[in-house]
């Protein structure tokens, strides 16, 4: 149990997929304008990464590994993730049309979000068990959600600040994300 907690904390805080591995930057920057939208995206990513971690582990070890076709892992993982995101998109469209509209083009971008694929490949390369893969996926997704919600909160506050003209827009967002990455690196001594 302690190992699972270490995996989850390391994935969420120390090896944060956005702030230390720089995966998933497109939705991180694009959807972080409002905290409500960022939280919705985070919830969708939590669902997708957690389920994708479980599915990719099963498919890899039950099909690809047994048939000695491990070289197809990236293609197969992308197809699994795309199908899963389509499912999430249909559910959000039915259950929460405002969130579906708010996420807009960024919801389909989860399909190509390299964070989802990166977690699936990391789980295999680190030889995680099924439970460890799911915990790592969940921890990674929670870390993504924490980072995107924090950035969204900071961006909402920055709207009322006097930002120099040359820093307005993307430069101040990237600078803020860089400062967040430095702050998150302080968690490295945690484990």
């Amino acid at each position: 149990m302690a190992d699972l907690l270490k995996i989850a904390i390391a994935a969420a805080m120390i090896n944060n997929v956005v702030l230390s591995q720089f995966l998933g930057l497109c939705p991180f920057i694009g959807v972080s304008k409002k905290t409500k939208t960022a939280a919705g995206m985070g919830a969708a990513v939590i669902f997708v990464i957690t389920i994708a971690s479980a599915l990719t582990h099963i498919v890899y070890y039950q099909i690809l590994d047994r048939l000695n076709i491990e070289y197809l892992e990236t293609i197969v993982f992308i197809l699994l993730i795309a199908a899963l995101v389509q499912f999430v998109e249909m559910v959000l469209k039915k259950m929460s049309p405002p969130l579906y509209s708010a996420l807009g083009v960024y919801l389909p971008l989860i399909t190509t979000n390299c964070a989802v694929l990166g977690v699936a490949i990391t789980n295999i390369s680190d030889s995680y068990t099924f439970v460890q893969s799911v915990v790592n996926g969940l921890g990674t997704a929670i870390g993504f959600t924490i980072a995107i919600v924090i950035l969204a909160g900071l961006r909402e506050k920055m709207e009322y600040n006097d930002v120099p003209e040359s820093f307005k827009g993307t430069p101040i967002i990237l600078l803020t994300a860089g400062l967040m990455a430095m702050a998150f690196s302080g968690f490295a001594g945690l484990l």
Side-chain angles (χ1 to χ4, degrees):
M1 190 63 164
D3 288 338
L4 294 178
L5 186 60
K6 283 183 183 178
I7 289 171
I9 291 172
M13 305 303 281
I14 299 166
N15 301 320
N16 187 288
V17 72
V18 176
L19 300 175
S20 71
Q21 297 175 15
F22 306 112
L23 298 175
L25 288 175
C26 183
F28 177 68
I29 292 172
V31 184
S32 61
K33 292 178 183 155
K34 301 286 179 202
T35 52
K36 187 174 181 179
T37 308
M41 175 61 116
V45 167
I46 287 172
F47 179 78
V48 170
I49 289 182
T50 305
I51 301 300
S53 295
L55 288 176
T56 54
H57 186 277
I58 291 169
V59 167
Y60 183 83
Y61 286 107
Q62 297 302 319
I63 298 172
L64 300 178
D65 191 38
R66 288 186 181 185
L67 297 175
N68 288 328
I69 53 172
E70 296 92 350
Y71 57 88
L72 293 175
E73 82 176 17
T74 303
I75 295 167
V76 171
F77 288 0
I78 289 171
L79 291 173
L80 276 171
I81 292 164
L84 190 60
V85 170
Q86 286 297 88
F87 174 73
V88 169
E89 194 171 357
M90 289 186 309
V91 169
L92 278 180
K93 193 173 187 177
K94 282 277 190 199
M95 305 279 257
S96 180
L99 179 58
Y100 175 78
S101 297
L103 291 176
V105 71
Y106 294 102
L107 187 57
L109 281 178
I110 295 176
T111 302
T112 57
N113 186 344
C114 52
V116 182
L117 181 61
V119 171
I121 291 173
T122 299
N123 289 338
I124 300 303
S125 67
D126 289 348
S127 300
Y128 283 154
T129 65
F130 177 77
V131 174
Q132 289 173 328
S133 293
V134 172
V135 168
N136 184 52
L138 180 63
T140 300
I142 289 171
F144 177 87
T145 303
I146 290 168
I148 197 170
V149 169
I150 289 173
L151 183 63
L154 292 171
R155 285 181 72 175
E156 284 180 356
K157 295 286 184 192
M158 281 190 283
E159 284 182 29
Y160 305 109
N161 292 344
D162 187 25
V163 177
E165 190 64 36
S166 60
F167 282 103
K168 286 187 178 177
T170 305
I172 194 71
I173 297 166
L174 293 174
L175 183 62
T176 304
L179 292 171
M180 285 175 59
M182 288 173 40
F184 269 67
S185 71
F187 292 116
L190 223 118
L191 297 176

